[in-house]
Amino acid sequence: MASEITYAEVRFKNELKSSGTNSDSPAAPKENTTPLKSNPAFPKLLLGSLLILFLLLAILFFVAFIIFFNKYSQLLEEKNYKISTKTSIHTNLKCVRNNSTMEGKVWTCCPEKWKSFSSSCYFFSTDAKSWNDSQENCSRMEAHLVVINNKEEQDFLTQNMDKNAAYFMGLSDPEGEGRWQWVDQTPYNQSATFWHPGEPSHSEEHCVIVNHPSTSLQWGWNNILCKDRQRSVCEMMKIYL
Ligand SMILES: *[C@@H]1O[C@H](CO)[C@@H](O)[C@H](O)[C@H]1NC(C)=O
Ligand SMILES: *[C@@H]1O[C@H](CO)[C@@H](O)[C@H](O)[C@H]1NC(C)=O
Ligand SMILES: *[C@@H]1O[C@H](CO)[C@@H](O)[C@H](O)[C@H]1NC(C)=O
Ligand SMILES: *[C@@H]1O[C@H](CO)[C@@H](O)[C@H](O)[C@H]1NC(C)=O
Ligand SMILES: *[C@@H]1O[C@H](CO)[C@@H](O)[C@H](O)[C@H]1NC(C)=O
């Protein structure tokens, strides 16, 4: 830049000097017109770079604003989450820090006294109710009767159950026609069921329990009368904070 400036100044002086001898040589005017043009262009160049600088600053501010706004709205969202969980019926949560680098949802929580497995929380009742009342009781706790999706979940559940009890789950056959329905509308998958041998039986028994009869070697499912009073298991999605 500095060398350009001196170059322009020198040329300008040269031109003033040679202005009198303009007609002397044909090459002289040519030589002079170029520096003349470049000189007024210099403030233009400065103005242009200032404009670019200003634009860059404006963009920078805009980006900074966007980032700030995102952070701020994320904070707001998180706060709302905490407020809504406080106003929910579950006042005491047990949380574990989730290792994933995903921002925001880093804590996974289950209500106190509930057990955690995979992405769900489970409540094992010690009192007994009919199937309808059990499901309604789960509903009141923002949950539903347990839906067993695979062997791992079945095993987790039975590990937490009392062999001397039976537990209602979220499977029923309201019409008594063998059309088994999960309470959360999960499609019934025959190959992911754990019926005791010979079950289901008796078409008037529309509701399903998990139990471990003394006559059986293992845990399994059995259909019983819905009005029977049994323990139950409620399931809900883990809460993300
Ligand atoms: C962590 O969070 C991710 C995404 O929410 C979830 O897929 C994953 O199972 C969580 N890990 C634990 C240990 O809870
Ligand atoms: C979290 O991640 C680190 C490294 O990825 C690992 O060493 C640690 O055991 C993880 N902790 C949990 C609770 O998953
Ligand atoms: C019903 O819910 C209460 C808590 O609201 C709990 O103490 C009780 O064990 C539940 N009973 C059943 C059968 O789910
Ligand atoms: C359970 O409740 C449903 C409606 O929610 C009702 O149609 C059904 O008769 C009830 N069953 C029993 C055994 O109370
Ligand atoms: C049914 O369950 C089996 C065994 O768990 C599984 O391999 C299959 O994908 C399931 N089918 C559907 C449609 O979910």
Side-chain angles (χ1 to χ4, degrees), residues 188-223:
Y188 178 72
N189 179 354
Q190 185 65 52
S191 40
T193 60
F194 308 94
W195 294 103
H196 282 299
E199 302 297 341
S201 60
H202 305 100
S203 60
E204 72 279 12
E205 300 177 342
H206 305 315
C207 291
V208 183
I209 51 161
V210 184
N211 69 344
H212 191 303
S214 50
T215 53
S216 169
L217 290 174
Q218 57 185 349
W219 289 93
W221 301 357
N222 187 16
N223 59 323

Side-chain angles (χ1 to χ4, degrees), residues 96-102 105-109 116 118-119 238 240:
V96 292
R97 192 189 271 285
N98 187 325
N99 237 358
S100 78
T101 50
M102 203 173 81
K105 303 182 174 178
V106 282
W107 294 92
T108 57
C109 311
S116 148
S118 185
S119 51
K238 273 185 185 165
Y240 291 89

